[in-house]
Amino acid sequence: MSSDTENHDHNTGTEDKIYDDLEKLIDSVDAEERELKKRMEKKNLNGVEKEANGCLAASKNEEFEHKSTINELEDESIKIKTENADKKSEEDNSHYDFKDSQNNSEDGKEELELSEMIVCDEVAGDSDEDDNKIVDATVENDKDKYERESKKIKKESKEKESIKKKYDKKSDSKSKDYSRKEDSKRSDKKRSRTPSKDRSSKDSSLKKRTKIIDKEKESKKLRELDKFWQTVRDDPSDFIGWTYLLQYVDGAKNIDAAREAYDAFLDLYPYCYGYWRKYADYERKNGTKENCEKVFDRGLKAIPLSVDLWIHYMGYMKSAYPDDEELIREQFERAVDACGIEFRSDRLWDHYIKFELECKQYSRVTDIYERLIATPTHGYLNNFECFKDYIKKYPKNKILETVKFLELRKEVLAEIKETEAKKNQGRKIDSGSDSDDMADPMEQRTKEENLMKEKMIASRLLIHKTTAEMVALRLPYEEMIKRPYFHVKPLERSQIRNWKEYLEFEIGQGVYKRIVVLFERCLIACALYEEFWTKYISYLESLESDDQEIKDRIEDIYIRACTVHHKNKPGINLTWALHLENNGQYDKAAQILDMLDSVAPHKKLIIQRRINLERRRNCYDRVCELYEHYISTANSSLTSILLTVKYARFVWKILNNSDKASEILWVEVEKINNVQKSSRLLLQLMEIKMSDNPMNILAVVKLIDNILNMKSIDIEQQVIFSQRKVEYLEEFGKDIRMINKAIAESKKYMKMYNDREKILEGTDTTCSGKT
């Protein structure tokens, strides 16, 4: 270690000496230049050229001397460093030490080469400038030469001073870099001398540390993802929270997390066509072709009227299957069949036409145009103009199928022949000769083409007029639609009213396909309004058709409404349960009612629907379980009483068990322990006892007596039940003594009631007199 330090100090001292010698050389050059300047000022103009030549020769000699001195210094430095390297290799006997010393010598050599280049450039620059001065001196007059020489010398002296400063800075930085390299190399040597076990332990600790850092980064990403997820789990209706989550996973390199987020969002908001596009593009970039196509299929099934999604899908199909024209054509047909009659579907038709033109299937283009001009769309005028341009541009034998072309040509030739015959007949009459002029074939063909073009356009003109009328009828409603896409924000009242009026108009027109398409368009914008779903279902049910397509559509509407957009709305879900029950799907109907009961507990309508569904499918044990459950968990005494009465009637009338029905009622009466509050229960209990067959008069009388003797009974209630006892015995009793006893008892209760009323009246009179 001490030897290394000594070598380093020795090298440093040698370098300092070299730098001092270089500075001396530069100072000497500067001094000589100053002397040259003084001598030139002293001499007359005639001796300027001779003096300049002498100076130039002197500067060249000095340059040679400077170079030789620098070379000597460089050789000396290299010699010193190689000696140091040899000493180090002998002391350490290590391959790595020798390599380090060799690197040190190379670094020193680079420094010397840099210093040599700087000084040589300076001297070479001086000599070149002097040569230029001599050439100029031979051309110009002596005075001008002298002035130029003096200016150049001043400029060169300034440049040399600046170069010297730069060189000093570079040499300082070089020495610092050199010392840093030496320190790092010494530390590397120390590290190389450490035992292998220590190195392996350090390496393992580094690996562990990097693993920990990676895990921390991953856990941080997971924590951020969990925060976004927690937001939407707490409030699934937070649309903006969902968009932040999707934005995060779209930028992260975790395809499983992205799929989970996109699937969850699109299950909740399937009408957001823009996110179907993003999901498909994400799968296209990061997933597989198969998954990308699955996403497109799901999106087009969820929102088949999205023109933008269809166009994006067709762009993908053309890039993924560029050579399969038939497949792409099938998908275009699927697209125009799904949303071709949508009012703003013109762009989709344009893409289809462009595709067929690229394939040079001109007859197919004609068929597409014929369908398009018969469809009332927003761009119907432009569509017809494009059709006319297309007819004019291409030959008719290309744009028409062979059969249609021959038929049209036959009609055209017949008309031409008839026209020519009339003309020739007129000529014969005028000229009195029967000679015919031979027609030019090219002119004849042009005439045929023009006439065929006119007939094709004329035959479609009537269709175009009908389309224009249809557009004119719908345009006021279409112009009122300001938000045709889905959003969670509420719609304006004017928008809702416009949709209702538009639907009524279209239903009045009576075209089933157009009505269905308009309802589907309406549901995209008004998906969060239950009334439009029920209106759609009511329209389809009003058709009273056994068509399976209509039945499937009704089922699909219920599924979309109740499982996506209105999960917790009782109205449409109860209607769906009745629809399923009507189709014999009892289990599914029961599941829907069970779900509604968990979402909106203690709703009387839902409770009655659940119980009555089980009764209608003869699950009587389940009916009893539900009644007992709802009675025990009722949130009010009134609900409990009403359900108990219904439960008793079910047991009495359906199960034909009057004793159990009476027991159910009496248990509830004792639990309430208030005759006035449980009067409905008591009256129902009396009705059950009076309806026994054979009639048990003693049981009815005993029940009324028990009621009259209850501690919680009021005098008014005693009057009522005692009168009821008298009426029953007079109608059905056979023992007159029992009847008379009941009459006397009723009179006693009546007298007690009257006495109480008189006391209350006297109290009221006294209070009013004092007042």
Side-chain angles (χ1 to χ4, degrees), residues 39-277:
R39 276 183 282 168
M40 289 180 73
E41 287 174 352
K42 289 178 182 180
K43 289 184 178 183
N44 54 15
L45 295 173
N46 295 327
V48 169
E49 184 176 352
K50 188 184 289 184
E51 186 68 21
N53 290 330
C55 291
L56 179 61
S59 63
K60 287 183 178 181
N61 293 329
E62 288 168 358
E63 178 186 352
F64 178 77
E65 290 174 0
H66 294 164
K67 285 184 180 180
S68 61
T69 306
I70 290 167
N71 291 330
E72 289 173 2
L73 291 170
E74 182 183 355
D75 295 336
E76 184 179 354
S77 173
I78 293 168
K79 186 177 179 182
I80 291 166
K81 292 187 183 296
T82 52
E83 288 174 359
N84 291 335
D86 294 334
K87 287 179 182 178
K88 289 177 184 178
S89 62
E90 289 173 0
E91 289 173 358
D92 297 331
N93 291 321
S94 171
H95 171 70
Y96 297 105
D97 293 343
F98 173 75
K99 190 173 181 180
D100 292 335
S101 64
Q102 192 175 17
N103 290 333
N104 291 338
S105 65
E106 288 176 358
D107 293 335
K109 187 175 181 180
E110 288 175 359
E111 291 177 2
L112 289 172
E113 286 175 353
L114 180 63
S115 62
E116 181 185 0
M117 287 170 64
I118 292 169
V119 176
C120 290
D121 287 341
E122 290 176 355
V123 178
D126 294 343
S127 62
D128 291 339
E129 294 292 339
D130 291 336
D131 291 337
N132 291 331
K133 288 182 222 177
I134 293 168
V135 173
D136 293 337
T138 58
V139 178
E140 298 177 1
N141 60 53
D142 295 336
K143 190 174 182 179
D144 293 336
K145 289 177 188 177
Y146 172 74
E147 288 175 356
R148 279 197 295 273
E149 289 292 336
S150 60
K151 286 179 182 178
K152 286 182 181 180
I153 289 168
K154 288 178 182 179
K155 186 177 179 181
E156 287 165 3
S157 61
K158 288 180 182 178
E159 288 177 355
K160 286 178 182 179
E161 287 176 1
S162 63
I163 290 168
K164 181 182 176 184
K165 290 178 182 179
K166 289 180 183 178
Y167 174 75
D168 291 339
K169 289 180 182 178
K170 288 182 181 179
S171 61
D172 291 339
S173 62
K174 279 283 182 179
S175 60
K176 290 178 182 178
D177 292 340
Y178 177 79
S179 61
R180 273 194 227 107
K181 287 179 182 178
E182 286 293 325
D183 294 337
S184 64
K185 285 169 184 174
R186 280 196 290 271
S187 63
D188 290 339
K189 288 174 186 177
K190 286 182 184 178
R191 201 177 297 115
S192 64
R193 293 192 191 98
T194 55
S196 59
K197 290 182 179 179
D198 295 341
R199 286 202 301 272
S200 62
S201 63
K202 288 180 181 179
D203 292 340
S204 61
S205 64
L206 283 171
K207 288 179 181 177
K208 287 179 181 178
R209 202 174 295 117
T210 53
K211 285 181 180 178
I212 290 167
I213 292 167
D214 293 340
K215 285 181 180 179
E216 287 178 354
K217 288 180 180 178
E218 193 66 29
S219 62
K220 187 178 179 182
K221 288 181 180 178
L222 290 173
R223 284 196 299 272
E224 290 177 357
L225 182 62
D226 289 338
K227 286 178 184 177
F228 286 115
W229 266 112
Q230 192 61 43
T231 302
V232 296
R233 286 193 185 105
D234 293 340
D235 184 12
S237 62
D238 185 1
F239 190 83
I240 295 174
W242 279 107
T243 58
Y244 284 138
L245 172 63
L246 294 178
Q247 187 178 1
Y248 179 80
V249 298
D250 204 39
K253 295 180 180 179
N254 190 338
I255 193 167
D256 293 329
R259 285 171 179 166
E260 183 183 4
Y262 272 112
D263 288 338
F265 172 78
L266 292 169
D267 286 344
L268 197 60
Y269 300 108
Y271 284 151
C272 293
Y273 73 91
Y275 286 96
W276 285 112
R277 286 181 57 180

Side-chain angles (χ1 to χ4, degrees), residues 380-393:
Y380 76 101
L381 287 172
N382 182 61
N383 295 335
F384 193 67
E385 291 300 320
C386 290
F387 171 70
K388 291 195 291 185
D389 293 339
Y390 169 73
I391 294 297
K392 294 173 183 177
K393 184 175 180 181

